[in-house]
Each structure stands twice: as structure tokens, then as C-alpha cells.
Short mmCIF file of all heavy atoms in Angstrom, two decimals:
data_model
loop_
_atom_site.label_atom_id
_atom_site.label_comp_id
_atom_site.label_asym_id
_atom_site.label_seq_id
_atom_site.Cartn_x
_atom_site.Cartn_y
_atom_site.Cartn_z
N GLN A 1236 42.09 40.12 118.72
CA GLN A 1236 41.69 39.09 119.74
C GLN A 1236 40.25 38.58 119.38
O GLN A 1236 39.93 37.35 119.55
CB GLN A 1236 41.66 39.70 121.08
CG GLN A 1236 41.23 38.69 122.19
CD GLN A 1236 41.21 39.37 123.57
OE1 GLN A 1236 40.98 40.61 123.71
NE2 GLN A 1236 41.40 38.66 124.65
N ALA A 1237 39.34 39.40 118.97
CA ALA A 1237 37.98 39.01 118.58
C ALA A 1237 37.89 38.22 117.38
O ALA A 1237 37.14 37.35 117.20
CB ALA A 1237 37.08 40.23 118.40
N CYS A 1238 38.88 38.49 116.42
CA CYS A 1238 38.81 37.79 115.11
C CYS A 1238 39.55 36.44 115.19
O CYS A 1238 39.56 35.70 114.15
CB CYS A 1238 39.43 38.68 114.02
SG CYS A 1238 38.42 40.14 113.62
N THR A 1239 40.21 36.14 116.25
CA THR A 1239 40.94 34.94 116.37
C THR A 1239 40.31 33.89 117.24
O THR A 1239 41.03 33.09 117.83
CB THR A 1239 42.47 35.21 116.81
OG1 THR A 1239 42.45 35.88 118.11
CG2 THR A 1239 43.19 36.00 115.74
N ASP A 1240 38.91 34.02 117.36
CA ASP A 1240 38.34 33.02 118.24
C ASP A 1240 38.37 31.61 117.87
O ASP A 1240 38.25 30.69 118.66
CB ASP A 1240 36.87 33.51 118.46
CG ASP A 1240 36.08 33.47 117.17
OD1 ASP A 1240 36.72 33.47 116.12
OD2 ASP A 1240 34.90 33.68 117.22
N PHE A 1241 38.83 31.37 116.61
CA PHE A 1241 38.96 30.03 116.16
C PHE A 1241 40.33 29.38 116.49
O PHE A 1241 40.64 28.22 116.34
CB PHE A 1241 38.91 29.98 114.62
CG PHE A 1241 39.98 30.88 113.95
CD1 PHE A 1241 41.22 30.43 113.64
CD2 PHE A 1241 39.68 32.24 113.75
CE1 PHE A 1241 42.17 31.25 113.04
CE2 PHE A 1241 40.68 33.08 113.08
CZ PHE A 1241 41.88 32.58 112.82
N PHE A 1242 41.20 30.27 117.13
CA PHE A 1242 42.51 29.77 117.50
C PHE A 1242 42.85 30.35 118.90
O PHE A 1242 43.35 31.49 119.10
CB PHE A 1242 43.59 30.32 116.55
CG PHE A 1242 44.91 29.68 116.60
CD1 PHE A 1242 44.98 28.28 116.58
CD2 PHE A 1242 46.06 30.32 116.77
CE1 PHE A 1242 46.27 27.63 116.74
CE2 PHE A 1242 47.26 29.74 116.88
CZ PHE A 1242 47.39 28.33 116.75
N PRO A 1243 42.46 29.50 119.94
CA PRO A 1243 42.45 30.05 121.34
C PRO A 1243 43.90 30.53 121.87
O PRO A 1243 43.89 31.47 122.58
CB PRO A 1243 42.07 28.83 122.16
CG PRO A 1243 41.26 27.91 121.28
CD PRO A 1243 41.80 28.18 119.85
N ARG A 1244 44.89 29.93 121.40
CA ARG A 1244 46.20 30.25 121.88
C ARG A 1244 46.58 31.72 121.32
O ARG A 1244 47.15 32.51 122.02
CB ARG A 1244 47.28 29.34 121.31
CG ARG A 1244 47.23 28.06 122.18
CD ARG A 1244 48.79 27.57 122.19
NE ARG A 1244 48.71 26.16 122.83
CZ ARG A 1244 49.22 26.00 124.02
NH1 ARG A 1244 49.65 26.88 124.77
NH2 ARG A 1244 49.23 24.75 124.51
N LEU A 1245 46.26 31.90 120.11
CA LEU A 1245 46.48 33.30 119.51
C LEU A 1245 45.57 34.34 120.19
O LEU A 1245 46.11 35.47 120.59
CB LEU A 1245 46.15 33.34 118.01
CG LEU A 1245 46.62 34.49 117.20
CD1 LEU A 1245 48.15 34.71 117.31
CD2 LEU A 1245 46.30 34.17 115.64
N GLN A 1246 44.35 33.96 120.51
CA GLN A 1246 43.46 34.86 121.21
C GLN A 1246 43.96 35.15 122.64
O GLN A 1246 44.01 36.30 123.08
CB GLN A 1246 42.04 34.25 121.31
CG GLN A 1246 41.04 35.23 121.71
CD GLN A 1246 39.64 34.48 121.56
OE1 GLN A 1246 39.51 33.27 121.87
NE2 GLN A 1246 38.63 35.30 121.24
N GLU A 1247 44.53 34.15 123.27
CA GLU A 1247 45.18 34.42 124.64
C GLU A 1247 46.34 35.24 124.44
O GLU A 1247 46.57 36.09 125.35
CB GLU A 1247 45.52 33.00 125.18
CG GLU A 1247 46.09 32.97 126.50
CD GLU A 1247 46.49 31.56 127.01
OE1 GLU A 1247 45.63 30.69 126.82
OE2 GLU A 1247 47.59 31.44 127.57
N GLY A 1248 47.20 35.08 123.44
CA GLY A 1248 48.30 35.94 123.24
C GLY A 1248 47.91 37.37 123.05
O GLY A 1248 48.63 38.29 123.69
N PHE A 1249 46.89 37.71 122.38
CA PHE A 1249 46.50 39.07 122.22
C PHE A 1249 45.96 39.56 123.56
O PHE A 1249 46.13 40.74 123.92
CB PHE A 1249 45.36 39.23 121.15
CG PHE A 1249 46.00 39.23 119.80
CD1 PHE A 1249 45.80 38.12 118.94
CD2 PHE A 1249 46.78 40.34 119.32
CE1 PHE A 1249 46.33 38.13 117.68
CE2 PHE A 1249 47.40 40.38 118.07
CZ PHE A 1249 47.13 39.21 117.27
N SER A 1250 45.27 38.77 124.34
CA SER A 1250 44.80 39.22 125.68
C SER A 1250 46.02 39.45 126.64
O SER A 1250 45.85 40.44 127.45
CB SER A 1250 43.87 38.14 126.35
OG SER A 1250 44.55 36.94 126.72
N ILE A 1251 47.11 38.87 126.44
CA ILE A 1251 48.29 39.17 127.26
C ILE A 1251 48.82 40.46 126.78
O ILE A 1251 49.32 41.26 127.57
CB ILE A 1251 49.37 37.97 127.15
CG1 ILE A 1251 48.78 36.78 127.83
CG2 ILE A 1251 50.72 38.43 127.69
CD1 ILE A 1251 49.56 35.46 127.63
N LEU A 1252 48.87 40.76 125.45
CA LEU A 1252 49.49 41.91 124.89
C LEU A 1252 48.71 43.32 125.29
O LEU A 1252 49.32 44.30 125.41
CB LEU A 1252 49.66 41.83 123.42
CG LEU A 1252 50.71 40.87 122.84
CD1 LEU A 1252 50.69 40.87 121.36
CD2 LEU A 1252 52.10 41.37 123.33
N ILE A 1253 47.43 43.12 125.37
CA ILE A 1253 46.58 44.28 125.45
C ILE A 1253 47.00 45.23 126.63
O ILE A 1253 47.15 46.42 126.50
CB ILE A 1253 45.08 43.95 125.50
CG1 ILE A 1253 44.65 43.53 124.13
CG2 ILE A 1253 44.26 45.10 125.98
CD1 ILE A 1253 43.26 42.87 124.04
N PRO A 1254 47.28 44.64 127.84
CA PRO A 1254 47.67 45.55 128.93
C PRO A 1254 49.04 46.16 128.69
O PRO A 1254 49.34 47.15 129.35
CB PRO A 1254 47.72 44.64 130.18
CG PRO A 1254 46.98 43.39 129.83
CD PRO A 1254 47.04 43.27 128.28
N TRP A 1255 49.85 45.62 127.79
CA TRP A 1255 51.19 46.19 127.49
C TRP A 1255 51.13 47.10 126.36
O TRP A 1255 52.20 47.59 125.94
CB TRP A 1255 52.11 45.05 127.26
CG TRP A 1255 52.43 44.06 128.34
CD1 TRP A 1255 51.73 42.92 128.53
CD2 TRP A 1255 53.30 44.30 129.37
NE1 TRP A 1255 52.12 42.35 129.79
CE2 TRP A 1255 53.18 43.18 130.36
CE3 TRP A 1255 54.22 45.32 129.72
CZ2 TRP A 1255 53.93 43.16 131.43
CZ3 TRP A 1255 54.95 45.22 130.82
CH2 TRP A 1255 54.86 44.15 131.62
N THR A 1256 50.03 47.64 126.01
CA THR A 1256 49.86 48.57 124.92
C THR A 1256 50.79 49.78 125.03
O THR A 1256 51.49 50.08 124.09
CB THR A 1256 48.48 49.02 124.67
OG1 THR A 1256 47.62 47.85 124.43
CG2 THR A 1256 48.26 49.97 123.52
N PRO A 1257 50.90 50.47 126.18
CA PRO A 1257 51.77 51.60 126.24
C PRO A 1257 53.28 51.22 125.93
O PRO A 1257 53.94 51.92 125.21
CB PRO A 1257 51.60 52.13 127.69
CG PRO A 1257 50.20 51.64 128.12
CD PRO A 1257 50.10 50.29 127.35
N LEU A 1258 53.74 50.13 126.54
CA LEU A 1258 55.11 49.80 126.36
C LEU A 1258 55.38 49.34 124.82
O LEU A 1258 56.36 49.70 124.31
CB LEU A 1258 55.44 48.56 127.29
CG LEU A 1258 56.94 48.13 127.12
CD1 LEU A 1258 57.88 49.15 127.44
CD2 LEU A 1258 57.10 46.84 127.94
N LEU A 1259 54.37 48.61 124.18
CA LEU A 1259 54.55 48.31 122.79
C LEU A 1259 54.56 49.53 121.95
O LEU A 1259 55.33 49.62 120.94
CB LEU A 1259 53.29 47.44 122.36
CG LEU A 1259 53.28 46.02 122.97
CD1 LEU A 1259 51.90 45.33 122.63
CD2 LEU A 1259 54.47 45.21 122.59
N LEU A 1260 53.87 50.56 122.29
CA LEU A 1260 53.78 51.82 121.49
C LEU A 1260 55.17 52.51 121.62
O LEU A 1260 55.67 53.09 120.80
CB LEU A 1260 52.66 52.62 121.89
CG LEU A 1260 52.39 53.84 120.98
CD1 LEU A 1260 52.11 53.31 119.57
CD2 LEU A 1260 51.18 54.65 121.48
N ILE A 1261 55.63 52.55 122.90
CA ILE A 1261 57.00 53.15 123.21
C ILE A 1261 58.06 52.50 122.34
O ILE A 1261 58.84 53.05 121.71
CB ILE A 1261 57.37 53.16 124.71
CG1 ILE A 1261 56.47 54.08 125.46
CG2 ILE A 1261 58.81 53.44 124.88
CD1 ILE A 1261 56.60 53.91 126.99
N ILE A 1262 58.14 51.14 122.30
CA ILE A 1262 59.13 50.37 121.56
C ILE A 1262 58.97 50.62 120.12
O ILE A 1262 60.03 50.88 119.46
CB ILE A 1262 59.04 48.94 121.91
CG1 ILE A 1262 59.34 48.62 123.43
CG2 ILE A 1262 59.84 48.03 120.89
CD1 ILE A 1262 59.12 47.26 123.86
N ALA A 1263 57.73 50.53 119.67
CA ALA A 1263 57.41 50.88 118.20
C ALA A 1263 57.94 52.32 117.83
O ALA A 1263 58.62 52.37 116.81
CB ALA A 1263 56.07 50.63 117.88
N THR A 1264 57.68 53.26 118.58
CA THR A 1264 58.05 54.59 118.29
C THR A 1264 59.51 54.78 118.31
O THR A 1264 60.10 55.47 117.47
CB THR A 1264 57.29 55.58 119.30
OG1 THR A 1264 55.97 55.42 119.33
CG2 THR A 1264 57.63 57.08 118.93
N LEU A 1265 60.24 54.16 119.26
CA LEU A 1265 61.65 54.20 119.36
C LEU A 1265 62.23 53.54 118.15
O LEU A 1265 63.21 54.06 117.57
CB LEU A 1265 62.25 53.65 120.63
CG LEU A 1265 61.95 54.33 121.96
CD1 LEU A 1265 62.36 53.57 123.07
CD2 LEU A 1265 62.73 55.66 121.77
N PHE A 1266 61.78 52.35 117.78
CA PHE A 1266 62.24 51.72 116.51
C PHE A 1266 62.15 52.62 115.34
O PHE A 1266 63.08 52.68 114.48
CB PHE A 1266 61.53 50.36 116.30
CG PHE A 1266 62.26 49.21 117.15
CD1 PHE A 1266 62.73 49.44 118.32
CD2 PHE A 1266 62.06 47.94 116.62
CE1 PHE A 1266 63.27 48.36 119.04
CE2 PHE A 1266 62.64 46.88 117.38
CZ PHE A 1266 63.20 47.11 118.51
N GLU A 1267 60.94 53.33 115.14
CA GLU A 1267 60.68 54.11 114.06
C GLU A 1267 61.73 55.30 114.02
O GLU A 1267 62.31 55.65 112.99
CB GLU A 1267 59.26 54.62 114.04
CG GLU A 1267 58.30 53.85 113.45
CD GLU A 1267 57.00 54.48 113.26
OE1 GLU A 1267 56.35 54.85 114.31
OE2 GLU A 1267 56.52 54.69 112.04
N LEU A 1268 61.74 56.02 115.14
CA LEU A 1268 62.53 57.21 115.21
C LEU A 1268 64.05 56.91 115.05
O LEU A 1268 64.81 57.53 114.36
CB LEU A 1268 62.35 58.02 116.44
CG LEU A 1268 60.96 58.71 116.58
CD1 LEU A 1268 60.65 59.29 117.93
CD2 LEU A 1268 60.71 59.70 115.48
N ILE A 1269 64.53 55.96 115.88
CA ILE A 1269 65.99 55.63 115.84
C ILE A 1269 66.36 55.07 114.50
O ILE A 1269 67.33 55.42 113.82
CB ILE A 1269 66.36 54.65 116.99
CG1 ILE A 1269 66.15 55.41 118.35
CG2 ILE A 1269 67.81 54.16 116.82
CD1 ILE A 1269 66.27 54.46 119.56
N GLY A 1270 65.52 54.06 113.97
CA GLY A 1270 65.80 53.49 112.74
C GLY A 1270 65.82 54.53 111.61
O GLY A 1270 66.68 54.55 110.72
N GLY A 1271 64.84 55.43 111.60
CA GLY A 1271 64.68 56.40 110.53
C GLY A 1271 65.84 57.44 110.57
O GLY A 1271 66.32 57.76 109.60
N LEU A 1272 66.31 57.81 111.85
CA LEU A 1272 67.48 58.69 111.95
C LEU A 1272 68.72 58.07 111.53
O LEU A 1272 69.48 58.72 110.78
CB LEU A 1272 67.62 59.23 113.39
CG LEU A 1272 66.58 60.38 113.84
CD1 LEU A 1272 66.69 60.63 115.33
CD2 LEU A 1272 66.83 61.60 113.00
#
């Protein structure tokens, strides 16, 4: 978010994702474990 100050829409997208960090981590972990298995 800090490195994309030149592109406001991208910066806004990251600001929307930040509160969803726990859910994103759950999804990523499930993809890793299920895909790996």
C-alpha cells in the first residue's frame, strides 16, 4: 500500500484487503494444504 502511492486505485485495493488478512491467510493455507495433499 505504501509503495503504490503513484497508483491510487491499487493503493485503495490494498487498504480494502488489509482488514481481510485473517481470511486471506486461511484461504492461502487451505490452498497450500489441500493442493499439496
Side-chain angles (χ1 to χ4, degrees):
Q1236 183 184 24
C1238 292
T1239 56
D1240 57 350
F1241 59 90
F1242 196 52
R1244 287 211 186 251
L1245 194 55
Q1246 195 173 34
E1247 184 180 314
F1249 283 110
S1250 69
I1251 292 169
L1252 287 177
I1253 290 171
W1255 294 96
T1256 300
L1258 180 62
L1259 293 173
L1260 192 58
I1261 289 169
I1262 292 169
T1264 305
L1265 286 173
F1266 276 29
E1267 274 190 296
L1268 291 173
I1269 293 169
L1272 281 172

